[in-house]
Amino acid sequence: MTTGATPAELLAEGELTVRGRIREASNAALYCTVTRDGQEAACIYKPVAGEQPLWDFPDGTLAQREVAAYEVSEATGWGLVPHTVLRDGPYGEGMCQLWIEVTPGAELLALVDAQEPEPGWKAIGFAEVGEGRTALLVHADDERLRRLAVLDAVINNADRKGGHLLPAAGDRLYGIDHGVTFNAENKLRTLLWGWAGEPLTGEAVDVLKGLKEALAEGGTLATTLTRLITAVELDATRARVDALLASGKHPEPSGEWPAIPWPPV
């Protein structure tokens, strides 16, 4: 993408052209290009009309939740979610998100034949690998993943799979697919349990304090989220931030909801 309009401006105001469909996605996810004044970028467009109904989320709200997750990510200063906007498109209103080219070679998840993880790795749990055998599923002990684990706890991400982790150029890491977030009930379901029960980093505590201020009545983030999620969901988000600050620790599985998404990748 050349210089000129910001990514947000290009996504929101550029001409959106559908190039293909990502067939493995559970909801309609269209690979597109967006152009404006000679600039072009690749993006993903998920129209509200292509969302599949879910029993535990209101119909037609997944696109707004994707944008809300981006807004919270931006408020943290960590930039963990690609630029995302809500806009009209060829199939109606939907979420439009900047396409991220994945950098090969970054190993974030692994299955190992061991009872404990090696240094530099954190245990997720044991998984069946066939013929009655199990292996230990681990994720990298990576500060970028740890930040994402904090973000997921704030937005109550119910579907953090391995395929939603995108290592990119410049040592960046992005998380995608945030449609099932911000539920008022505890639904945290993730592969990033390696720090469960461990103290939050000082950086994370500072970020959470900033989020608490931004989420207060009349705060910048609260005003933005009011247009994207319900008042009850906004209050629940505030409560999750308060709970993280009060405990000073990464959350642990509640036991009331499957802790790991299926399939995990």
Side-chain angles (χ1 to χ4, degrees):
M1 188 175 65
T2 58
T3 59
T6 66
E9 289 170 341
L10 185 56
L11 287 175
E13 302 169 8
E15 181 179 353
L16 195 61
T17 303
V18 176
R19 303 297 184 185
R21 180 172 182 175
I22 301 175
R23 296 192 176 276
E24 59 267 27
S26 55
N27 297 292
L30 306 175
Y31 178 78
C32 302
T33 54
V34 60
T35 57
R36 173 187 158 180
D37 298 331
Q39 293 180 248
E40 181 175 284
C43 61
I44 291 294
Y45 162 54
K46 297 181 181 179
V48 172
E51 295 178 4
Q52 299 296 318
L54 298 172
W55 68 269
D56 51 350
F57 285 84
D59 292 349
T61 67
L62 304 190
Q64 290 95 321
R65 295 171 194 277
E66 295 246 29
V67 178
Y70 165 74
E71 295 292 349
V72 175
S73 169
E74 287 298 285
T76 67
W78 287 333
L80 295 169
V81 179
H83 288 279
T84 312
V85 301
L86 196 65
R87 60 162 292 169
D88 195 30
Y91 299 102
E93 186 179 61
M95 178 279 282
C96 191
Q97 185 175 82
L98 195 66
W99 176 266
I100 299 298
E101 291 293 341
V102 174
T103 300
E107 192 174 15
L108 300 174
L109 298 166
L111 279 169
V112 296
D113 187 13
Q115 296 297 308
E116 297 290 338
E118 294 288 332
W121 295 88
K122 305 290 284 187
I124 302 168
F126 289 94
E128 293 185 10
V129 293
E131 299 180 355
R133 294 175 55 247
T134 61
L136 183 63
L137 182 61
V138 297
H139 66 66
D141 188 1
D142 186 308
E143 69 173 8
R144 301 169 303 171
L145 288 180
R146 191 165 190 172
R147 290 169 175 170
L148 195 57
V150 174
L151 175 67
D152 284 343
V154 170
I155 67 176
N156 198 16
N157 193 350
D159 195 32
R160 175 61 72 204
K161 295 177 179 176
H164 300 166
L165 305 173
L166 305 183
D171 203 32
R172 297 293 300 273
L173 177 71
Y174 294 97
I176 60 169
D177 284 352
H178 297 109
V180 286
T181 50
F182 294 99
N183 200 298
E185 298 180 9
N186 180 15
K187 291 187 178 289
L188 184 59
R189 189 168 61 168
T190 176
L191 285 179
L192 304 180
W193 287 116
W195 299 281
E198 293 187 14
L200 295 166
T201 65
E203 176 195 47
V205 171
D206 288 341
V207 164
L208 289 167
K209 289 178 179 177
L211 285 180
K212 180 180 176 68
E213 181 178 347
L215 286 167
E217 194 73 33
T220 52
L221 183 57
T223 301
T224 299
L225 293 184
T226 298
R227 301 190 295 267
L228 299 167
I229 59 177
T230 68
V232 172
E233 290 165 342
L234 179 54
D235 283 342
T237 304
R238 293 179 176 123
R240 288 190 294 271
V241 171
D242 287 343
L244 287 166
L245 286 170
S247 71
K249 298 179 180 180
H250 287 269
E252 299 181 75
S254 67
E256 301 172 355
W257 179 255
I260 296 176
W262 186 261
V265 177

